[in-house]
Every structure is written in C-alpha cells, then in structure tokens.
Amino acid sequence: MEIFLPAGFEPNLRRAPKSSPARARKLSVEVDGAQYPVLRRWATGFATTVEGVPKLEGVVRLYDGTRYLHQCFITGCESVENQQVFTFKRAAEIAAQ
C-alpha cells in the first residue's frame, strides 16, 4: 500500500517558531450595555480590576472578544488586592450556531 503525501511535505522537519505570541484572550463582561475587561476566569467565577468596574450584581454576560460565552448569575463579590473577584451560581453555556 502506498501513502500519498501533499507536495512539499517532508517528514522530520521542525516547524518554524511562531514570530508572535499566541492570541491573547480578550475576555469581558457586559452589564446593561457596558463592557468591562476580565483579567481571569475559572469555573465558578472571574476577576476584574477594582478601578472603573462597578460592583456587579444579578445576571451578566461573559464574552471572549465578540464571541458570547456564558450568561452568569453573580452571587458574591470581594476585593482581593487590586482585583474584584466575582463568584456566580450558574453559567448557561450558549450552543454554537
């Protein structure tokens, strides 16, 4: 049995290193039409900066750039160092369209 490979394919060659770092995630949270940047996110919460972000309550939406990720119901907020840490009760995942 013969294997056909695309033209230009040569085994055992290393890929060229990426010249630019991987795309940074642009997480944000939207509340009442205003969007605020998210520093980090985990399964039960997310963190934002203290400056410029109000204390969020109720239902908010999480985005990665323009892609809608989750709808979250915020249950708690606390300030840790220079971050506001929010916890949520549930995150409804949006199905891909």
Side-chain angles (χ1 to χ4, degrees):
M1 181 164 96
E2 293 184 31
I3 298 175
F4 293 98
L5 299 174
F9 178 82
E10 294 181 36
N12 300 325
L13 288 180
R14 295 179 58 199
R15 288 186 179 212
K18 292 183 180 181
S19 59
S20 63
R23 181 184 73 88
R25 292 177 58 125
K26 299 197 187 276
L27 294 174
S28 63
V29 61
E30 181 185 289
V31 182
D32 297 330
Q35 286 196 335
Y36 305 102
V38 172
L39 300 175
R40 55 194 172 94
R41 177 176 68 105
W42 55 96
T44 59
F46 61 91
T48 64
T49 60
V50 172
E51 296 134 9
V53 180
K55 185 175 179 181
L56 304 176
E57 297 177 337
V59 178
V60 299
R61 292 179 174 200
L62 281 175
Y63 288 88
D64 181 9
T66 58
R67 192 173 61 120
Y68 182 34
L69 296 177
H70 300 288
Q71 185 175 14
C72 308
F73 180 72
I74 294 181
T75 59
C77 172
E78 63 179 309
S79 292
V80 178
E81 295 176 7
N82 291 330
Q83 297 181 355
Q84 286 188 37
V85 177
F86 296 95
T87 57
F88 49 78
K89 185 175 179 182
R90 66 172 173 83
E93 193 162 328
I94 303 304
Q97 296 180 358

